[in-house]
């Protein structure tokens, strides 16, 4: 019998795969995220349950298992750690670190446009996470404010600690298009790259475009393209030029508008080579650069992925990132 009862709240208080569900903390078209208690280790986790119809799709299940393993192996301070993934009673689940705090969507809704230094601090951390994923041939495909968690930082110099979440669940690997096998979009229209919309092959520059849309919204108070109809929004991403950042934010340096225009280029080859390159250019253009002679963010914030464009060997996953992948009861 399926664990799903028709309503997400119907599972509160129930135990699933060693987790006791406490409350709903997020939901989407194909999954619900709960705060749950890990009864084995007595810790709070975020538990995502995938819709049962997805578990019945063999292709999706194989991709879920593979990409969850890849995502779990990425040891990066700005990617939400994955503890465990598996299947129970016909439902795919994934357990992740529970992050206390707002997501960027709630933060923007509450505070409106962010000060430039705040937006750049957040963007740098997200860019570092994305570049790390790209080094593992994983493209996020759904970079949006709702997938960026903003927790309290360590001190006044680092007031926010940002986590990028929602890897390894609905995305295909590097070089495949932005559609699922059923022809559905993966992504959110306000932040979706032109090549993703058209079904062309995508790589990390797809995420760079989405990140540029998010940063644009952080600074200007809204995404670059705002249309009443979804079809018009899809058209705009593919064919319309975005308003220059200086039109929405007159006080910003013109050079920052040039950087944003390059990040939002229609052709992937016309964008920056990495997400951190984009943010580094924006920091310099806004006068918040790292200073003459210092390493740019792409060299100091990229974690174990090497410097000066030379990738290091993929790291062994740390102990906490070795999930236990469990099949259905009675399986191998």
């Amino acid at each position: 019998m399926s664990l799903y009862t028709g309503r997400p709240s119907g599972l509160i208080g129930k135990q699933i795969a060693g987790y006791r569900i406490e409350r709903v903390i997020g939901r989407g078209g194909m999954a619900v995220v709960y705060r749950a208690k890990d009864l084995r280790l007595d810790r709070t986790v975020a538990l995502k349950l995938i819709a049962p119809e997805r578990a019945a799709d063999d292709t999706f299940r194989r991709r879920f298992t593979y990409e969850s393993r890849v995502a779990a192996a990425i040891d990066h301070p700005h990617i939400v750690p994955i503890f465990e993934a598996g299947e129970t009673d016909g439902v795919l689940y994934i357990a992740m670190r529970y992050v206390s705090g707002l997501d960027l969507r709630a933060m923007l809704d509450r505070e409106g446009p962010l000060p430039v230094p705040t937006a750049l601090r957040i963007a740098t951390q997200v860019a570092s996470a994305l570049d790390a994923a790209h080094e593992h041939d994983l493209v996020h495909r759904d970079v949006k404010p709702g997938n960026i968690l903003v927790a309290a930082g360590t001190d006044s110099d680092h007031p926010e600690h940002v986590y990028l979440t929602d890897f390894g669940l609905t995305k295909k690997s590097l070089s495949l298009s932005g559609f699922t096998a059923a022809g559905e979009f993966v992504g959110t229209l306000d932040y979706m790259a032109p090549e993703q919309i058209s079904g062309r092959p995508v790589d990390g520059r797809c995420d760079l475009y989405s990140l540029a849309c998010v940063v644009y919204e952080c600074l200007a108070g809204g995404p670059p393209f705002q249309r009443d109809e979804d079809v018009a929004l899809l058209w705009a991403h593919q064919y319309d030029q975005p308003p220059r950042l200086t039109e929405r934010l007159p006080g910003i340096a013109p050079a920052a508008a040039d950087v944003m225009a390059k990040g939002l280029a229609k052709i992937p080859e016309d964008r920056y080579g990495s997400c951190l390159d984009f943010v580094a250019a924006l920091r310099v253009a806004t006068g918040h650069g790292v200073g003459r002679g210092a390493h740019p963010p792409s060299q100091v914030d990229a974690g174990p992925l090497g410097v000066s464009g030379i990738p290091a060997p993929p790291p062994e996953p740390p102990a906490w990132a070795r999930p236990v992948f469990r099949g259905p009861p009675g399986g191998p």
Side-chain angles (χ1 to χ4, degrees):
M1 183 174 64
S2 173
L3 291 167
Y4 272 76
T5 61
R7 294 183 303 165
S9 59
L11 290 180
I12 293 175
K14 297 187 183 299
Q15 292 185 25
I16 296 175
Y19 301 94
R20 185 176 63 241
I21 292 179
E22 296 179 344
R23 64 181 175 88
V24 177
I25 57 176
R27 68 186 72 189
M30 60 167 293
V32 181
V33 183
Y34 299 89
R35 194 179 78 169
K37 177 69 73 175
D38 183 340
L39 300 176
R40 294 157 295 187
L41 298 176
D42 192 29
R43 64 180 173 185
T44 299
V45 302
L47 184 69
K48 176 169 280 195
L49 301 184
I50 311 299
E53 56 268 24
R54 295 294 186 182
D57 182 336
D58 287 340
T59 300
F60 181 89
R61 289 169 62 181
R62 288 193 299 270
R63 192 167 73 240
F64 169 86
T65 299
Y66 170 74
E67 294 200 351
S68 293
R69 287 184 184 274
V70 173
I74 303 175
D75 181 17
H76 193 278
H78 300 298
I79 293 177
V80 174
I82 293 174
F83 299 137
E84 181 180 8
E87 180 182 358
T88 182
D89 290 343
V91 175
L92 296 170
Y93 68 90
I94 188 165
M96 302 166 282
R97 176 182 291 171
Y98 176 75
V99 178
S100 179
L102 297 174
D103 62 40
L104 183 58
R105 174 75 277 144
M107 186 177 180
L108 291 172
D109 289 345
R110 185 183 70 178
E111 301 180 13
L114 303 179
V116 172
T118 303
L120 290 174
R121 286 195 304 269
I122 291 172
T124 299
Q125 295 176 63
V126 175
S128 180
L130 287 169
D131 284 352
H134 300 159
E135 289 287 347
H136 286 74
D137 290 345
L138 193 66
V139 182
H140 191 286
R141 299 172 188 276
D142 197 15
V143 178
K144 61 183 179 181
N147 281 335
I148 298 169
L149 309 181
V150 185
T154 55
D155 52 51
S156 59
D157 291 331
H158 306 87
E160 311 91 7
H161 187 95
V162 174
Y163 292 93
L164 184 63
T165 189
D166 205 19
F167 277 103
L169 297 182
T170 64
K171 292 79 181 170
K172 292 185 179 181
S173 58
L174 194 68
S175 85
L176 297 179
S177 75
F179 292 88
T180 67
E184 300 164 324
F185 273 126
V186 174
T188 303
L189 298 188
D190 283 335
Y191 316 97
M192 189 178 289
E195 63 271 23
Q196 194 174 359
I197 293 170
S198 64
R200 298 194 302 273
V202 302
D203 57 21
R205 292 169 296 188
C206 158
D207 288 339
L208 193 159
Y209 181 95
S210 298
L211 174 63
C213 289
V214 170
V215 176
Y216 191 108
E217 181 172 1
C218 288
L219 295 171
F225 298 110
Q226 297 173 303
R227 303 290 189 272
D228 293 333
E229 301 292 335
D230 287 349
V231 171
L233 186 54
L234 293 170
W235 177 274
H237 278 296
Q238 293 187 87
Y239 303 111
D240 293 348
Q241 290 303 312
R244 282 183 63 81
L245 186 58
T246 46
E247 296 178 24
R248 299 271 189 93
L249 193 64
I252 199 79
D258 296 336
V259 172
M260 190 64 66
K262 184 172 180 177
L264 294 172
K266 304 299 183 188
I267 301 172
E269 290 77 11
D270 291 341
R271 300 172 201 151
Y272 290 91
S274 73
C275 294
L276 278 167
D277 286 345
F278 161 67
V279 176
L282 193 58
R283 290 173 66 92
V284 171
T286 57
H288 294 82
V290 293
R292 185 178 180 87
H295 290 299
S298 58
Q299 292 184 12
V300 300
D301 293 333
L305 300 178
V307 296
S308 304
I310 303 174
E316 289 295 319
W320 55 257
R322 296 172 187 156
V324 179
F325 288 83
R326 295 185 175 164

